[in-house]
């Protein structure tokens, strides 16, 4: 098993290098211009100069090597220094990878954005798992019951109604008409456990974006759990378990559920990188300004360094998400053995 | 079979959900702090160093902290800020030969860190921006400036390379503020890129200082206790400047939920705004500056068969457009457009029909072209018939010398613009002109990538549409955009503002004359003459004079909508009605 993990981690390195090069090459071909959104009152000569000073006109390979150096070597060293307090080499002179839009290190932006995304997207993912699995189990066990019908109906809604619509609907109902929840997320709000008001405020402002996303995630996961359960409920081993006289609870929760969860766990593990990517549309609607919003603003502003870095970070998470899913398989399913 | 309680389980599930959902509802909404001002810009500021970013959002956000020597007020008049008065010829501030301007600075100004503001900081701001290693986005404000020197601690002398009849470019308006030398002296040139801390928290003389800057998200300001009018002003002790989202939801946050006090640049179709305003929570405010949505008429031939000569200007006229340079054609195209219908249907009170490229300030606005305000399809048809541009092959499209009047009409992707395109295509079809519409993503269309065929500078189309304007109130450099030497082409890397590629020695002579004329009325007459040449020669077809639209909550008082400077220019005077 540990051999398998090491092998997977080692193959991840060339994979990620190839991904980074491809991402870089694709973005290099994009016609987006970092000065394209500036007002027309800024003369073209000045724009050309700004581009040049940003390094936007450097040749492709120069930019790529710069990025590899700054992102893969300098930034990890910086993080190491900051966390351990040891200074390695000439840390003052070390160049950090800078965003064109903000002229600040991209890693700092990512670190600044991560809490919002984890609060909102992460919570909704957890919530979705907690809701979806029981719903899926009950729906499958009582197939075609009222509960199943209602569950199917809600899942269909969650599936087919896009988040920009539910988000808007929530704002109109809960912010405009009822005035229960704020429609704009306050990213500067600091939560402290001792201050109950701050916790309540955080829960209130999280409610709408979390609910919108949880509805979407729940729909997916509950359908998946249901079909996986249905498949197992009709298996021979279930009949055997029942005929042995095991209690119904034991049969369903120990035998059927455990086997049914294998594909569900894979789905959940593969979805984890998605949490870090944020939810571009939902973040935009509620102004959560997490990683998704950072990415979309960078794309709109032609801020290629930020787009490259974020895309690459997501690629890393996806590769590791895959490894995690494979490991989870082995743990859950004794039939799976890696050599 | 043992009883397995799904009923209990589902009941539990429902309870958890309900508690989860409604347990978080506290009181209706948190008590708004009366002294906190909440501003919403749906485009979030990326930095506060306006020399590194030319964006309007950054200029506005920085104007709470950084100040220029003088600003424009809501009517476009100059108001001294860090200077004691506006230098003029009469008070001796401008030299007789128009080559120097002397600013006297107030001696009671201190930076937010408590150190005195001096002429040396003004000199530094000039050095800072004009350093060629910086890539300063506001360097055009220092055009023709030869030297800036501190005569004494509170006197600044600016010397121009030649006579400068309008010397209010440097250090005037929100786009040309003063930076503190002590803070930025180690951030000059290329080093400015890595001065993140300084760029995000500039020390200024304005009413607020930055408490926290989160790029592309939110800025928190607190009151500057060293501000010259403190503690009388400003009224608001904190400003929360939130960014992100879209224009429509920004309008909603002010006009429908009242969560924010002020929202900027609400480019939303007007009926939607009006319905929101009907809630009685907020008010829509608008102001008209110099922005004009116009059609640019290509004077050169964009035919793809020409290869490298596509849309390239040749001084001998050999590459002229096959039909758009014909007076009958461009006049007919303009006559066929019903600008009032466009303004009413698409813009509401936020745009009005115009026949001028230069519609404001009032003294520069021409009245010689107003006949275009009335649509005249019949007249346009008659004009084309008379000129012999008729449909010869019976396909419903007119031909000039065998070339059919087929127009490729491009603009940036934007719902409003696509509606305008559809209207114009319809009207032109009524005069026998066939129009093909095209829209290009704004970051590509307005981007300067010389390798892209889709930029507005390359102009690989017959007609294109966008809005242009200028900073401040003086149109001299704006009007000089359309001189012969400003034509973009392959030899200049497609740089240049004369997008339509018009070249008329008479126009160039007027540009030169304006650069030598100091008297305001003479300058106005020249500007009007140039505007009329542009319109009457069909280089551009003006459509809509566009207003800036923002919204404020009804209890926010003191807001004076300003299109000549930052909209937040007088934020120190804003108060909340009790």
């Amino acid at each position: 098993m540990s051999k398998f993990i090491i092998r997977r981690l080692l193959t991840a390195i060339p994979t990620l290098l190839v991904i980074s090069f491809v991402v870089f090459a694709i973005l290099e071909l994009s016609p987006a211009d970092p000065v394209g959104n500036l007002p027309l009152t800024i003369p073209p000569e000045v724009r050309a100069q700004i581009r040049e000073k940003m390094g936007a006109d450097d040749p492709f390979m120069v930019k790529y090597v710069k990025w590899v150096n700054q992102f893969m070597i300098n930034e990890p060293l910086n993080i190491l220094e900051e966390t351990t307090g040891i200074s390695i080499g000439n840390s003052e002179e070390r160049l950090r990878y800078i965003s064109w839009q903000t002229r600040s290190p991209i890693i700092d932006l990512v670190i600044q954005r991560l809490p919002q995304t984890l609060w909102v997207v992460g919570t909704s993912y957890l919530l979705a798992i907690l809701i979806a699995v029981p719903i899926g189990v009950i729906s499958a066990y009582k197939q075609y019951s009222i509960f199943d019908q209602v569950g199917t109906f809600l899942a269909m809604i969650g599936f087919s109604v896009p988040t920009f619509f539910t988000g808007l609907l929530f704002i109109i109902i809960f912010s405009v008409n009822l005035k229960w929840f704020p429609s704009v997320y306050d990213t500067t709000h600091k939560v402290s456990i001792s201050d109950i008001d701050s916790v309540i405020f955080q829960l209130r402002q999280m409610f709408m974006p979390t609910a919108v996303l949880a509805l979407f995630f729940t729909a997916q996961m509950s359908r998946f759990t249901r079909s996986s359960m249905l498949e197992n409920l009709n298996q021979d081993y279930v009949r055997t378990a029942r005929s042995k006289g095991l209690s119904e609870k034991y049969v369903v929760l120990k035998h059927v559920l455990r086997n049914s969860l294998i594909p569900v766990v894979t789905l959940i593990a593969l979805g984890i990188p998605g949490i870090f990517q944020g939810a571009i549309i939902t973040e935009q609607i509620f102004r959560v300004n997490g990683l998704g919003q950072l990415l979309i603003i960078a794309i709109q502003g032609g801020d290629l360094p930020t787009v490259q870095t974020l895309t690459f970070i997501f690629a890393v998470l996806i590769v590791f998400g895959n490894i995690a899913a494979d490991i989870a398989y082995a743990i859950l399913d004794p039939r799976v053995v890696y050599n | 079979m043992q009883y397995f309680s799904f009923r209990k389980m589902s009941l539990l599930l429902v309870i958890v959900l309900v508690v989860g959902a409604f347990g978080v509802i506290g009181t209706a909404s948190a008590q708004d702090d009366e002294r906190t001002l909440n501003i919403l810009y749906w485009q979030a500021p990326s930095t506060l160093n306006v020399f590194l970013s030319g964006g309007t959002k950054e200029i506005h956000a920085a104007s709470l902290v950084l100040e220029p020597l003088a600003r424009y007020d809501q009517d476009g008049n100059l108001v001294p800020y860090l200077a004691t008065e506006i230098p003029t010829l009469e008070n001796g501030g401008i030299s007789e030969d128009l080559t120097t301007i002397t600013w006297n600075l107030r001696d009671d100004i201190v930076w937010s860190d408590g150190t005195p503001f001096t002429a040396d900081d003004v000199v530094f701001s000039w050095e800072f921006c004009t350093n060629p290693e910086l890539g300063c986005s506001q360097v055009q404000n220092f055009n023709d400036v030869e030297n800036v020197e501190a005569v004494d601690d509170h006197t600044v002398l600016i010397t121009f390379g030649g006579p400068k009849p309008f010397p209010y470019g440097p250090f005037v308006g929100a786009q040309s503020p003063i930076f503190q030398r002590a803070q930025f002296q180690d951030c000059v040139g290329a080093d400015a890129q890595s001065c993140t801390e300084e760029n995000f928290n500039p020390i200024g003389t304005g009413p607020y200082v930055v408490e926290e800057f989160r790029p592309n998200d939110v800025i928190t300001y607190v009151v500057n206790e060293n501000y010259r009018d403190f503690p009388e002003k400003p009224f608001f002790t904190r400003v929360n400047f939130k960014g992100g989202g879209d224009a429509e939801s920004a309008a909603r946050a002010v006009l429908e939920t009242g969560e924010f006090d002020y929202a900027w640049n609400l480019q939303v179709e007007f009926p939607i705004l009006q319905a929101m305003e009907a809630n009685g929570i907020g008010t829509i405010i608008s102001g008209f500056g110099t922005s004009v949505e116009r059609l640019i008429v290509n004077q050169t031939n964009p035919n793809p068969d020409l290869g490298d000569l596509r849309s390239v200007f040749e001084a001998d006229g050999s590459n002229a457009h096959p039909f758009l340079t014909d007076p009958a054609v461009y006049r007919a195209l303009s006559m066929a457009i019903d600008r009032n219908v466009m303004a009413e249907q698409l813009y509401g009170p936020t745009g009005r029909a115009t026949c001028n490229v230069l519609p404001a300030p009032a003294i520069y606005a021409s009245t010689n072209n107003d006949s275009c305000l009335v649509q005249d399809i019949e007249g346009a048809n008659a004009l084309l018939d008379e000129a012999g541009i008729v449909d010869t092959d019976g396909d419903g499209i007119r031909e000039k010398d065998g070339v059919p009047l087929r127009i490729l009409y491009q603009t940036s992707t934007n719902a409003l613009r696509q509606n305008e395109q559809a209207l114009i295509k319809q009207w032109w079809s009524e005069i026998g002109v066939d129009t093909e519409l095209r829209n290009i993503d704004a970051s590509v269309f307005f981007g300067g990538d010389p390798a892209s065929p889709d930029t507005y500078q390359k102009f690989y189309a017959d007609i294109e549409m966008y809005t242009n304007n200028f900073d401040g109130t003086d149109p001299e450099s704006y009007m000089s955009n359309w001189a012969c030497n400003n034509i973009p082409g392959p030899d200049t890397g497609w740089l240049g503002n004369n997008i339509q590629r018009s070249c008329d020695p008479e126009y160039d002579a007027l540009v030169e004359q304006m650069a030598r004329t100091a008297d305001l009325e003479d300058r106005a007459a020249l500007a009007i003459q140039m505007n009329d040449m542009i319109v009457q020669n069909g280089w551009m077809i003006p459509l809509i004079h566009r207003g800036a639209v923002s919204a404020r909550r009804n209890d926010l008082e003191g807001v004076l909508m300003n299109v000549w400077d930052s909209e937040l220019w007088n934020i120190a005077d804003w108060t909340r009605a009790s």
Side-chain angles (χ1 to χ4, degrees), chain B residues 34-40 208 235-236 238-239 254 260-263 281-283 285 550-560 567-568 570-578:
Chain B
E34 193 212 6
R35 295 264 176 168
T36 299
L37 176 65
N38 292 305
I39 298 175
L40 186 56
Y208 294 98
F235 172 86
F236 292 101
R238 288 181 76 82
V239 178
V254 173
F260 280 79
D261 297 304
Y262 190 86
I281 296 171
T283 310
I285 48 178
S550 294
R552 66 171 176 87
R553 226 167 81 157
N554 285 336
D555 62 354
L556 180 66
E557 293 183 340
V559 177
L560 290 174
E567 279 182 23
L568 310 173
N570 69 335
I571 196 162
D573 298 327
W574 291 12
T575 55
R576 194 184 296 286
S578 46

Side-chain angles (χ1 to χ4, degrees), chain A residues 83-147:
Chain A
T83 46
T84 59
I86 309 162
S87 82
I88 306 153
N90 192 355
S91 53
E92 286 292 307
E93 288 294 306
R94 196 180 300 138
L95 283 174
R96 305 194 60 188
Y97 201 54
I98 300 237
S99 140
W100 284 345
Q101 266 185 326
T102 67
R103 319 293 170 105
S104 65
I106 297 167
I107 293 299
D108 292 358
L109 294 177
V110 172
I111 292 169
Q112 200 172 56
R113 296 305 182 96
L114 208 51
Q116 285 86 275
T117 296
L118 288 184
W119 267 110
V120 171
V121 191
T123 312
S124 50
Y125 203 68
L126 272 178
L127 207 64
I129 297 171
L130 292 179
I131 299 171
V133 173
I135 288 183
V137 172
I138 300 169
S139 299
Y141 188 74
K142 301 227 162 167
Q143 203 186 1
Y144 307 130
S145 67
I146 301 275
F147 187 95

Side-chain angles (χ1 to χ4, degrees), chain B residues 236-278:
Chain B
F236 292 101
T237 52
R238 288 181 76 82
V239 178
N240 171 28
F241 192 112
K242 176 83 177 174
D246 61 295
E248 193 179 325
S249 63
R252 185 175 298 116
V254 173
L255 299 171
E256 285 199 311
T257 67
E259 289 166 86
F260 280 79
D261 297 304
Y262 190 86
W264 159 86
N265 192 16
L266 306 175
Q267 297 170 342
V268 183
E269 281 173 59
F270 194 72
I272 298 175
L273 279 185
Q274 234 171 354
M276 290 186 187
E277 195 184 26

Side-chain angles (χ1 to χ4, degrees), chain A residues 30-33 35-51 53-54 98 100-105 109 112-113 116 130-131 134-135 137-138 141-142 147 168 171-172 174-176 178-188 190 200-201 203-204 207 242 247-249 252-253 284-289 293-294 297-303, chain B residues 1-2 4 6-7 9-10 13 17 20-22 24-30 40 42 44 46-47 52-57 132-140 193-194 196 199-200 212-218 220 240 242-247 249-250 252-253 256-257 259-260 281 442-444 446-449 452 456-457 466-471 495-497:
Chain A
S30 94
D33 184 349
V35 295
N37 287 329
L38 295 184
L40 288 178
T41 48
I42 293 176
E45 313 81 74
V46 177
R47 285 164 191 265
Q49 213 179 26
I50 299 172
R51 280 179 59 88
K53 295 303 163 201
M54 277 174 176
I98 300 237
W100 284 345
Q101 266 185 326
T102 67
R103 319 293 170 105
S104 65
L109 294 177
Q112 200 172 56
R113 296 305 182 96
Q116 285 86 275
L130 292 179
I131 299 171
I135 288 183
V137 172
I138 300 169
Y141 188 74
K142 301 227 162 167
F147 187 95
L168 213 58
I171 287 182
I172 287 172
F174 293 112
S175 288
V176 176
L178 297 172
K179 301 206 187 304
W180 284 356
F181 304 113
S183 71
V184 178
Y185 189 94
D186 178 4
T187 47
T188 55
K190 289 186 181 62
I200 289 178
F201 182 87
L203 289 175
R204 284 186 56 226
F207 177 81
R242 282 189 178 135
S247 77
E248 194 61 16
K249 196 171 161 185
V252 173
L253 295 183
Q284 191 83 342
I285 292 173
F286 297 100
R287 296 184 166 81
V288 176
N289 294 357
Q293 191 257 7
L294 183 66
I297 285 205
I299 292 172
Q300 285 167 347
D303 185 359
Chain B
M1 190 193 265
Q2 198 182 333
F4 181 48
F6 282 115
R7 207 160 288 154
M9 259 181 81
S10 20
L13 193 71
L17 278 177
F22 293 95
V24 296
I25 302 163
T27 45
S29 90
L40 186 56
W42 57 272
S46 306
T47 174
L52 285 177
S53 161
T56 312
K57 54 195 166 80
E133 290 303 307
L134 179 69
C136 176
S137 56
Q138 300 299 340
V139 75
Q140 67 276 12
Q193 309 273 355
S194 47
T196 309
N199 293 336
F200 286 177
E212 191 188 6
F213 184 91
R214 290 174 174 240
N216 290 344
D217 179 12
V218 62
T220 319
N240 171 28
K242 176 83 177 174
D246 61 295
S249 63
R252 185 175 298 116
E256 285 199 311
T257 67
E259 289 166 86
F260 280 79
I281 296 171
S443 71
V444 176
F446 294 116
D449 184 359
S452 166
Y456 79 105
Q457 292 102 324
Y466 55 82
T467 291
N468 203 349
N469 70 318
F470 58 93
D471 287 331
L495 298 181
N497 280 321

Side-chain angles (χ1 to χ4, degrees), chain B residues 71-93:
Chain B
R71 277 196 199 289
Y72 294 99
D73 70 7
Q74 73 277 17
D75 300 318
N77 303 313
L78 281 171
V79 187
Y81 263 64
L82 300 177
T84 53
E85 59 183 350
I86 302 296
T88 57
L89 268 174
E90 289 74 47
N91 66 22

Side-chain angles (χ1 to χ4, degrees), chain B residues 385-435:
Chain B
D385 289 343
E386 242 170 75
I389 303 171
V390 288
D391 180 16
T392 48
D393 52 10
D395 61 354
I397 298 159
R398 293 170 189 271
E399 285 90 25
K400 176 184 162 35
D401 306 331
V403 183
L405 302 192
R406 288 185 201 277
I407 289 175
L408 176 62
Y409 169 18
Q410 68 182 19
T411 188
S412 66
T413 308
N414 171 318
L416 187 69
R417 291 221 160 104
Q418 269 72 75
N419 284 333
E420 291 176 293
Q421 279 187 312
L423 283 174
I424 289 175
K425 181 185 165 98
Q426 167 62 30
W427 288 322
W428 284 351
S429 75
E430 290 172 31
I431 60 167
V433 174
D434 181 51
T435 316

